[in-house]
């Protein structure tokens, strides 16, 4: 009863106040008819509160997201499934799902009646122009009486997460030096060159070629052993994303930072589909990618990446050096001064292929401006140390300049949509 009284609506409270006033006047004036009216007006919200509070609907709720991962700007469908698990029909139900502001307004629905053992499915769509992980739920159900005097809210505990990933642009196939893919144990060729014990046999694994069985070791160990020296190798690459706040310009989805994240996602997914083992590095250090598939893990990580306060690429370059064994380094960069360009140039060494996608961030403030002297100087430093530099002005798709990655020292500035 206490919960029912707390759930009184403005109309219910007005009825109580009016009934109390009528009762007071009836006692003062001695009007019996007014007393009956006052009792009726007071009793109505009290009875409604008692009925609603004693209502024990047993409902089960399930939520399905299709797809559970959506790209920025695309829609996802949320399906709510409500089941009445009792033998009694429900009354009027008002349903409201909890949705973050970035996904739109909170969806509200009215169910007139759910029969015993009945099931209702409700669909609604969400859309976000911002990356991130968004929690949808819990679902709240409002139970009210037919007169609208009492409204009681009950919530489920389940919630689901929608991952909004950066925009991915399909890139043309470009053969890059250092980009080599294979199978086997998926190690880098540099490990073999460094003297890993690749001649020792190992245990047979599901899917190994039976022609690699080492029979002498098999007889000695009593279990199938295979040669490791015949395994193929998979080269490894590194993707560096410049997340320094001061190195980017603009605000919101059209900012140079969001463009850089989209470019990194497009290049990372493209290289993963080409069979390259990839690791992600930012100016804050190496990022951990889970084992749930390279493309999926990369997009999940980039969905929540945020700009930082660092002003140097020192930690990012250090993470590149510590990883080692990279045949390819792709850097997606914002503003670079000469010192930072020299620091980054030293990350490429030997036969490592370095590709730098440099965002001409000045264009995000004044699109009519071309590349300035600082941009040219930083580019010259990278080109002079063997990097292949691609200039990306504002409003240009990375797909239109990616072909230039196969030719060192060339630059593209064709117009398009990112």
């Amino acid at each position: 009863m206490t919960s029912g009284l707390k759930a009184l609506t403005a109309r219910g409270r007005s009825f109580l106040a009016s009934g109390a006033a009528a009762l007071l006047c009836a006692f003062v004036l001695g009007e019996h008819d007014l007393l009956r009216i006052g009792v009726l007006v007071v009793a109505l919200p009290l009875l409604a509160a008692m009925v609603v509070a004693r209502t024990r609907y047993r409902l089960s709720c399930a939520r399905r997201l299709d797809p559970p991962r959506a790209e920025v700007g695309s829609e996802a469908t949320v399906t709510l499934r409500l089941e009445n698990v009792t033998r009694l029909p429900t009354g009027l139900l008002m349903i409201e799902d909890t949705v973050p502001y970035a996904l739109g307004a909170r969806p509200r629905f009215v169910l007139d009646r759910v029969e015993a053992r009945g099931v209702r499915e409700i669909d609604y769509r969400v859309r976000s122009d911002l990356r991130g992980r968004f929690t949808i739920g819990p679902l709240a159900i409002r139970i009210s009486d037919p007169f609208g005097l009492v409204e009681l809210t009950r919530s489920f505990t389940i919630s689901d997460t929608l991952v909004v990933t950066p925009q991915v642009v399909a890139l043309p196939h470009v053969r890059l030096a250092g980009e080599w893919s294979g199978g086997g144990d998926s190690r880098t060729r540099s490990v073999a060159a460094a003297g890993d014990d690749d001649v020792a046999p190992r245990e047979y694994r599901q899917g190994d070629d039976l022609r690699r069985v080492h029979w002498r070791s098999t007889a000695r160990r009593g279990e199938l052993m295979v040669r490791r020296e015949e395994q193929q190798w998979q080269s490894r690459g590194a993707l560096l994303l410049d997340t320094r706040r001061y190195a980017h310009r603009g605000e919101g989805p059209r900012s140079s930072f969001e463009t850089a994240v989209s470019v990194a996602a497009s290049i990372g997914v493209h290289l993963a589909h080409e069979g390259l083992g990839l690791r992600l590095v930012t100016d804050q250090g190496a990022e951990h990618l889970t084992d749930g598939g390279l493309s999926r893990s990369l997009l999940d990580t980039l969905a929540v990446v945020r700009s930082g306060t660092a002003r140097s690429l020192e930690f990012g370059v250090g993470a590149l050096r510590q990883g080692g064994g990279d045949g390819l380094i792709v850097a997606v960069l914002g503003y670079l001064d000469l010192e930072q360009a020299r620091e980054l140039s030293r990350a490429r060494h030997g036969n490592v292929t370095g590709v730098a996608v440099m965002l001409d961030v000045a264009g995000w403030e004044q699109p009519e401006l071309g590349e300035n002297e600082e941009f040219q100087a930083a580019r010259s430093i990278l080109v002079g140390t063997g990097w292949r530099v691609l200039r990306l002005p504002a409003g240009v798709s990375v797909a239109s300049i990616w072909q230039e990655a196969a030719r060192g020292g060339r630059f593209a500035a064709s117009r398009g949509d990112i």
Side-chain angles (χ1 to χ4, degrees):
M1 187 63 185
T2 303
S3 62
L5 291 176
K6 291 181 179 179
L8 285 173
T9 62
R11 181 182 299 177
R13 294 189 183 93
S14 298
F15 266 63
L16 279 180
S18 300
L23 290 175
L24 180 61
C25 293
F27 282 119
V28 171
L29 301 176
E31 292 288 340
H32 297 286
D33 293 336
L34 185 59
L35 179 63
R36 297 188 186 96
I37 295 175
V39 171
L40 176 63
V41 173
V42 170
L44 192 59
L46 295 179
L47 290 174
M50 182 182 300
V51 171
V52 171
R54 292 177 62 87
T55 300
R56 291 293 182 265
Y57 295 143
R58 291 182 58 193
L59 302 174
S60 67
C61 173
R63 184 186 293 102
R64 184 176 68 252
L65 303 180
D66 184 27
R69 285 172 176 77
E71 192 174 283
V72 165
S74 63
E75 291 186 339
T77 301
V78 182
T79 301
L80 296 172
R81 187 179 189 273
L82 285 174
E83 180 179 2
N84 181 11
V85 298
T86 65
R87 296 181 179 179
L88 297 176
T90 69
L92 183 68
L93 299 177
M94 290 175 286
I95 299 172
E96 180 180 9
D97 208 4
T98 304
V99 174
Y101 176 76
L103 298 182
R106 289 189 173 186
R108 296 181 176 89
F109 307 94
V110 176
L111 294 181
D112 196 8
R113 181 177 180 273
V114 181
E115 65 277 6
R117 308 294 183 183
V119 176
R120 296 287 187 274
E121 286 195 355
I122 304 171
D123 295 337
Y124 65 91
R125 295 180 178 273
V126 292
R127 179 181 181 275
S128 175
D129 292 326
L130 301 174
R131 298 175 293 107
R133 296 173 63 91
F134 301 100
T135 300
I136 299 178
L139 180 70
I141 296 181
R142 295 181 181 177
I143 304 171
S144 65
D145 66 290
F147 302 104
L149 302 177
V150 179
E151 186 176 275
L152 188 63
T153 301
R154 294 174 179 169
S155 299
F156 293 91
T157 57
I158 63 169
S159 60
D160 296 87
T161 300
L162 175 67
V163 180
V164 180
T165 60
Q167 181 185 12
V168 176
V169 178
L171 302 180
H173 174 73
V174 174
R175 189 65 178 175
L176 301 173
E179 184 185 9
W180 183 93
S181 60
D185 291 341
S186 297
R187 299 189 181 183
T188 61
R189 287 179 291 173
S190 61
V191 173
D196 188 27
D197 186 13
D198 56 353
V199 296
R202 61 165 174 78
E203 296 82 0
Y204 173 83
R205 298 173 186 169
Q206 183 69 30
D208 283 339
D209 191 347
L210 291 177
R211 291 175 296 180
R212 293 169 50 193
V213 173
H214 192 273
W215 296 110
R216 181 178 300 177
S217 299
T218 298
R220 184 169 59 251
R221 295 284 296 273
E223 60 178 330
L224 281 177
M225 306 290 291
V226 296
R227 300 184 185 93
R228 298 181 62 187
E229 74 275 15
E230 294 181 5
Q231 66 189 352
Q232 293 176 308
W233 305 102
Q234 181 182 44
S235 65
R236 186 176 63 186
L239 177 61
L240 172 65
L241 173 61
D242 185 358
T243 63
R244 297 169 301 153
R245 185 177 298 119
Y246 104 104
H248 292 280
R249 303 293 183 271
E251 298 291 339
R254 297 291 182 180
S255 66
S256 65
F257 175 69
E258 291 299 325
T259 301
V261 174
S262 175
V263 170
S266 302
I267 295 175
V269 170
H270 173 76
L271 294 178
H273 289 169
E274 294 287 326
L276 187 72
L278 197 66
R279 61 193 182 101
L280 177 65
V281 177
T282 68
D283 52 89
Q284 303 174 32
E287 296 287 338
H288 174 69
L289 299 181
T290 62
D291 298 328
L294 178 57
S295 297
R296 176 175 172 177
S297 177
L298 177 67
L299 290 177
D300 285 353
T301 303
L302 291 177
V304 296
V305 70
R306 295 291 179 260
S307 58
T309 58
R311 300 181 65 87
S312 172
L313 292 174
E314 177 183 359
F315 292 109
V317 174
L320 290 177
R321 292 172 178 169
Q322 290 176 1
D326 298 318
L328 173 67
I329 298 176
V330 179
V332 182
L333 307 168
Y335 167 77
L336 280 184
D337 60 26
L338 299 185
E339 183 59 32
Q340 293 159 3
R342 295 188 187 97
E343 188 174 24
L344 178 61
S345 67
R346 292 190 287 268
R348 196 205 72 84
H349 55 85
N351 294 325
V352 176
T353 300
V355 178
V357 181
M358 296 183 63
L359 278 67
D360 194 353
V361 295
W364 267 264
E365 294 180 328
Q366 296 177 300
E368 67 278 3
L369 294 180
E371 56 185 90
N372 54 33
E373 294 182 358
E374 290 183 331
F375 183 94
Q376 294 176 358
R379 180 184 66 185
S380 299
I381 291 175
L382 293 178
V383 172
T385 54
W387 284 77
R388 305 176 186 182
V389 180
L390 285 65
R391 173 178 174 259
L392 184 65
V396 175
S397 170
V398 64
S400 64
I401 66 172
W402 184 243
Q403 291 282 4
E404 300 298 324
R407 298 186 291 272
R410 299 295 185 88
F411 309 96
S414 55
R415 286 283 169 183
D417 298 323
I418 183 67

